[in-house]
Every structure is written in C-alpha cells, then in structure tokens.
Amino acid sequence: MAMIVPEGLAAPVLYRPHGGELPRLDRAEMLRYLGFSGQEMESELKRRIDAVADDVERNFTPAGVRRVFAVDAIGVDDEGAPAIKLVGTSVVLQGLDIYRHLKDARLCVLMACTLGMESERRLRAGTASSVETTVLDAACSAYIEAAVEAMDQEARADAATLGLSANWRFSCGYGDCPLTAQPRIVSALNAGRLIGLTVTPTNLLLPSKSVTAMIGLFDGPVHDANTRPTCGICRLREGCSFRARGTTCYGG
Ligand code: SF4
C-alpha cells in the first residue's frame, strides 16, 4: 500500500476557536474529575464550581494543531522490537496497545492541543491543597478534553470527506505506550512554534493542561484495537516482525 497522504489531508490544520466556536466546558465531566458521582452538593460549593467553570471558559483559549501522516506498521524501534512509525517524521510509537490501535490503519491523525501558559500560571499560583486550585485543575482538565474532542470531530469529518473511517483517540501513556514519544510528536507537529507546547525532560507536556493524541484512519471498516487480532486475516502477516520473533501483537 502506498505510504502517501491524500492531498486533501496533507497540510497541518490549526485549531484556534474564538467566539461561538469555543468549546463548552462539560460541568458533569468536571464534577467527575472532582470525584462526584451524583451526590448532593452544598449550594455554596456548587456556586464556586460554576464560577470557576465560567472563569475558565471566559479566560482560557485552547489552541491546537493536527496533521495526517502515513502509518508504517512493519518497522522496528531502536531495540529491534516492532513499532509503529509515522512516515516522514521521527515518531516511533512503542507498545502492544498502540500497535494494535494503528497496525491496520493507512493513516494516522496526530494532534496536539493546549490551554496555554495562562492556565499553567494560574494553576501554579494556587496552593495544591486549596479547594479553588483543585476545582480550577478539574475545570482545566474538562476544558482541554472538550477542546481535543472538538479537534477529534473536525479530523473525523475531514477524513470522512475522503471516505476514510476513524477509530478512537489514543494518547501516549495509555496502556503500555510510553511517554517517551512526546518530544518527537511535538516536533513532528511543530507544536512548539505553532501553539507554544513543550515537553519536560521527563516527557510531560508543558503547559500541563495539554494533550497529544493519535487517531487511525482506515480505507475500510474501523479496526477495533480492543478486539483480539487474528493473524490469519492480518494484512501484515507476511512481513510481521512479531511473528518473526515468535510472538504476536496480542501477546499470544
Ligand atoms: S500478523 Fe498477527 S501478530 Fe502480526 S500484526 Fe498481524 S495480527 Fe499481529
């Protein structure tokens, strides 16, 4: 299969919502981050939570960038283990979970999104133990999630115009996919220059309220990474580096 990105998907796409395009902070999601699951809440606490959510929606503006790359699922990492490579970048995604997520995909939408340094400054200004900081942290988490979801929907819609289906959003740190790919992901998206996203020496994103993610794009039906793969019908069967090592990508 040719490892090229269709012309309509090749260019980086910036996400810079404003006005009515800004995502809505999901209050229920925010409450889940705070540990609520339907319990009664005092009206004063509810008022404070609403005030912080309003503040975040008013004063923080998410920014993101996404780009589509071809998937190379027959490559290996520096240790010779099977890995997903994104063609034209130095990104190498390790681990069985991301391998199963992308092995049957022709393309991968790589995305990064951040709430920016203002969120970081405000979170650092508070004391970790204060209720206000805890609530602000939850609100920022819910808001960045809403922004990434908006980017996700846009990416899916763009892919659908070319007849491509998309699986779910996967991030480094899920399952056995290490965070070590973060610096190369940020670099591949030029996200430092475009949206001010950086990575710490321990591979954490900075600003901390930031997300990077990968979505697989498929010519046919979506491959569900949660379904146990079958070598018998796998397109990688002939050159499979797992099988060459006497194992499989599903650990059997
Ligand atoms: S051939 Fe089997 S082990 Fe190799 S990628 Fe396909 S399903 Fe996984």
Side-chain angles (χ1 to χ4, degrees), residues 15 17 19-30 46 50 52-58 60 62 115 139-150:
Y15 174 68
E21 300 167 348
L22 283 163
R24 180 107 177 91
L25 193 160
D26 183 339
R27 268 58 174 179
E29 179 86 356
M30 178 182 166
K46 183 171 184 326
D50 282 342
V52 172
D54 290 347
D55 172 30
V56 166
E57 282 181 326
R58 247 193 335 269
F60 298 163
L115 284 194
C140 288
S141 295
Y143 202 40
I144 189 69
E145 179 61 25
V148 176
E149 178 60 24

Side-chain angles (χ1 to χ4, degrees), residues 35-56:
F36 284 93
S37 53
Q39 304 100 312
E40 280 289 306
M41 194 187 308
E42 288 176 20
S43 59
E44 173 56 17
L45 180 57
K46 183 171 184 326
R47 190 197 61 73
R48 287 169 79 179
I49 287 174
D50 282 342
V52 172
D54 290 347
D55 172 30
V56 166

Side-chain angles (χ1 to χ4, degrees), residues 73 99-100 103-104 223 228-244 247-251:
Y99 195 86
R100 289 196 298 263
K103 78 178 181 65
D104 294 320
H223 162 77
R228 186 183 170 94
T230 310
C231 296
I233 57 167
C234 181
R235 71 185 177 98
L236 302 173
R237 183 179 165 80
E238 293 310 317
C240 176
S241 36
F242 280 98
R243 286 160 58 89
T247 180
T248 68
C249 70
Y250 44 89

